[in-house]
């Protein structure tokens, strides 16, 4: 039984989808069907009651009023007024009020409920129903029926198209809302995808800047120092050149790891990529600068706290970039790095003595250094300040949130 009903429903839907391609054909077919219903309704009467003699003029007028329904989309209210007026006139002349006679009016009321607002629907429905009841109560075609049946019939038949039209309008509104939400979700997904691509490009750009700027500045300082000591201290010069080889090798490794982020979708996760640097590699970083002639002093306050990978990488990169700026721009070859572990934040300061260079004072630091550090700090909920010190020199101060992991509690970063 259910399978037969499902097959019947599928066939109806198929036929409906085919005919929906020809809306004008459907409308003309509907009008012809309503003309047939109205004509058949004029032939009905109660037993013992003669049909009114109108000379067929009213029947022709009923048929012509059905053609007005072709304008239901653009002149909905006018259609209701015209069809209701002709139908009420027919009932007033003595025709029996039946669903067949009311068919054109019921169709007009249905489209009114579908296309117009609720206030208009209620107003027209009330006026038309009251007019039908008033005329029907005094009609000759209904004189043998009780007043209760005379009232209940028109009210019931008028309620059907109004309820059906309201449900169709609600369904249409629901489908429009679903479509709008789908379009909004599609636009949102595209915007989020573009935002993620932009954020990823900025992140990789910061990584490339940090790697290239740091190692090139360090290699330049080491090469200059080695050239300066080549005659007076050849042994020290050879040691610095050995360190220069390590610097360039480290630059290539980090550059390869950073570019490898772009190929993560083409390989298993983590394959061929070096782990992200953190504060555990700080001694190696300090030694590389010392080999280039920059004296770096590190001091710490408070008990070391474990850091999440994101905070650890950010802290390392900020120290790296700040020391690179000192090596590139500061006239004094000395820097101070401080770590202060508070209850919920890690405070990092990198400063140097002597007058601040013009690039640092202007906040450019070669173009992207300070901006990259500030973006890194803000990306994890921290903040960064940089500027000249009152006593001379330049200082970078950043506060990063501490987010310890229970798995690494008690370990040093």
């Amino acid at each position: 039984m259910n399978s037969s009903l499902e097959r019947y429903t599928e066939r109806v839907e198929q036929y409906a989808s085919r005919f929906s391609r020809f809306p004008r054909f459907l409308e003309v077919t509907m009008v012809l069907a309503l003309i047939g219903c109205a004509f058949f309704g004029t032939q009905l009467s109660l037993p013992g009651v003669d049909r009114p003699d109108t000379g067929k003029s009213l029947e022709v007028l009923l048929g012509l009023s059905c053609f007005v329904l072709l304008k239901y989309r653009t002149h909905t209210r006018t259609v209701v007024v015209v069809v209701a007026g002709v139908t009420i006139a027919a009932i007033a002349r003595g025709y029996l009020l039946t669903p067949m006679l009311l068919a054109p009016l019921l169709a007009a009321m249905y489209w009114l409920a579908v296309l117009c607002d609720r206030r208009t629907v209620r107003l027209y429905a009330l006026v038309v129903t009251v007019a039908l009841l008033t005329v029907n109560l005094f009609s000759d075609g209904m004189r043998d029926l009780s007043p209760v049946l005379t009232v209940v019939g028109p009210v019931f038949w008028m309620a059907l198209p109004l309820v059906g039209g309201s449900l169709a309008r609600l369904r249409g509104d629901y489908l429009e809302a679903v479509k709008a939400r789908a379009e909004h979700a599609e636009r949102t997904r595209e915007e989020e995808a573009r935002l993620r691509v932009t954020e990823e490009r900025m992140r990789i750009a910061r990584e490339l800047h940090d790697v290239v700027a740091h190692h090139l500045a360090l290699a330049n300082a080491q090469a200059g120092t080695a050239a300066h000591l080549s005659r007076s201290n050849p042994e020290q010069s050879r040691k610095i050149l050995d360190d220069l080889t390590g610097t360039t090798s480290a630059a290539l490794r980090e550059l390869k790891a950073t570019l490898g982020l772009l190929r993560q979708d083409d390989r298993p996760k983590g394959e061929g990529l070096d782990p992200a640097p953190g504060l555990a590699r700080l001694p190696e970083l300090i030694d590389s600068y010392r080999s280039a002639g920059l004296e770096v002093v590190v001091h710490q306050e408070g008990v070391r706290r474990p850091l999440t990978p994101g905070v650890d990488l950010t802290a390392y990169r900020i120290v790296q970039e700040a020391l690179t700026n000192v090596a590139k721009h500061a006239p004094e070859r000395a820097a101070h790095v401080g770590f202060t572990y508070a209850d919920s934040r890690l405070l990092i300061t990198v400063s140097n003595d002597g007058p601040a260079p013009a690039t640092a004072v202007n906040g450019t630091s070669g173009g992207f250094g300070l901006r990259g550090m500030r973006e890194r700090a803000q990306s994890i909920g921290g903040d960064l300040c940089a500027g000249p010190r009152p006593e001379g020199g330049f200082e970078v101060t950043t506060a990063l949130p501490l987010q310890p992991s229970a798995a690494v509690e008690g370990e040093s970063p």
Side-chain angles (χ1 to χ4, degrees):
M1 180 67 179
N2 292 335
S3 60
S4 301
L5 182 60
E6 290 177 358
R7 287 197 299 270
Y8 176 75
T9 304
E10 291 177 358
R11 290 178 182 177
V12 171
E13 292 178 351
Q14 290 176 358
Y15 289 134
S17 62
R18 291 176 183 175
F19 285 113
S20 62
R21 303 173 185 174
F22 310 98
R24 182 57 62 180
F25 173 77
L26 290 177
E27 291 173 355
V28 173
T29 304
M30 176 191 70
V31 168
L32 295 177
L34 291 175
I35 291 175
C37 291
F39 177 76
F40 183 73
T42 60
Q43 307 304 310
L44 300 177
S45 62
L46 292 175
V49 179
D50 296 333
R51 293 176 54 249
D53 184 13
T54 60
K56 304 295 182 180
S57 60
L58 196 56
E59 296 176 10
V60 173
L61 191 60
L62 274 172
L64 293 177
S65 68
C66 294
F67 284 98
V68 179
L69 290 168
L70 293 174
K71 295 293 184 180
Y72 71 89
R73 295 185 185 275
T74 57
H75 300 82
T76 309
R77 298 174 180 84
T78 304
V79 168
V80 172
V81 171
V82 172
V83 176
V86 174
T87 304
I88 292 172
I91 297 172
R93 291 297 301 271
Y95 285 102
L96 180 64
L97 190 153
T98 62
M100 305 299 290
L101 186 67
L102 289 177
L105 179 58
L106 298 182
M109 296 303 295
Y110 173 83
W111 290 115
L112 180 74
V114 171
L115 300 175
C116 296
D117 58 277
R118 295 180 180 178
R119 183 178 179 182
T120 301
V121 173
R122 286 195 294 265
L123 177 61
Y124 277 73
L126 178 62
V127 173
V128 172
T129 303
V130 170
L132 279 177
L133 292 177
T134 303
V135 173
N136 198 38
L137 285 173
F138 299 99
S139 173
D140 293 337
M142 305 292 289
R143 63 176 180 267
D144 294 335
L145 293 178
S146 65
V148 175
L149 294 178
T150 304
V151 172
V152 171
V155 172
F156 175 77
W157 290 114
M158 289 295 294
L160 288 181
L162 296 175
V163 173
S166 298
L167 293 177
R169 189 191 65 228
L170 291 176
R171 183 174 181 273
D173 293 342
Y174 172 75
L175 294 178
E176 287 293 330
V178 171
K179 182 180 178 180
R181 285 198 297 269
E183 293 176 352
H184 176 71
E186 185 66 24
R187 289 195 302 269
T188 303
R189 281 195 296 269
E190 293 177 357
E191 292 174 0
E192 289 180 353
R194 286 194 296 267
L195 181 60
R196 289 178 181 176
V197 169
T198 301
E199 291 177 349
E200 185 66 11
R201 288 174 57 190
M202 292 298 297
R203 186 176 68 86
I204 295 176
R206 286 196 299 265
E207 289 291 330
L208 287 173
H209 173 269
D210 291 344
V211 171
V212 173
H214 160 65
H215 288 95
L216 285 182
L218 186 58
N220 180 68
Q222 288 174 332
T225 304
H228 178 71
L229 297 176
S230 60
R231 294 184 178 180
S232 60
N233 194 342
E235 199 64 34
Q236 181 67 19
S237 177
R238 281 194 297 271
K239 183 179 181 304
I240 294 176
L241 290 176
D242 292 338
D243 294 338
L244 178 59
T245 302
T247 300
T248 55
S249 299
L252 291 174
R253 286 196 305 270
E254 289 201 33
L255 189 60
K256 179 182 177 181
T258 303
L259 295 177
L261 295 174
L262 299 175
R263 303 185 179 93
Q264 282 185 347
D265 293 338
D266 301 329
R267 64 176 69 191
K269 185 176 180 180
E271 181 182 336
L273 300 180
D274 292 338
L279 292 182
R281 293 176 55 181
L282 185 63
E284 176 184 344
L285 179 68
I286 299 302
D287 289 341
S288 65
Y289 281 106
R290 286 173 177 166
S291 67
L294 179 65
E295 292 297 327
V296 182
V297 179
V298 181
H299 60 88
Q300 175 184 314
E301 296 181 9
V303 181
R304 282 191 176 183
R305 304 279 296 280
L307 306 175
T308 61
V311 177
D312 199 17
L313 173 63
T314 300
Y316 177 85
R317 290 302 190 195
I318 288 176
V319 173
Q320 181 187 59
E321 179 62 24
L323 291 178
T324 299
N325 291 340
V326 173
K328 289 167 59 178
H329 303 294
E332 299 291 336
R333 307 294 291 173
H336 304 274
V337 181
F339 297 91
T340 302
Y341 290 84
D343 293 336
S344 60
R345 285 192 173 283
L346 168 61
L347 182 65
I348 303 175
T349 59
V350 180
S351 60
N352 64 281
D353 299 327
T359 52
V361 173
N362 294 332
T364 58
S365 184
F368 300 101
L370 292 179
R371 186 173 70 182
M373 288 190 289
R374 186 171 290 108
E375 289 175 352
R376 281 186 178 278
Q378 292 174 350
S379 67
I380 60 171
D383 53 73
L384 183 140
C385 298
R389 301 168 63 195
E391 62 273 20
F394 195 81
E395 183 176 71
V396 175
T397 303
T398 182
L400 305 178
L402 288 174
Q403 299 175 355
S405 173
V408 295
E409 187 174 357
E411 298 181 6
S412 299

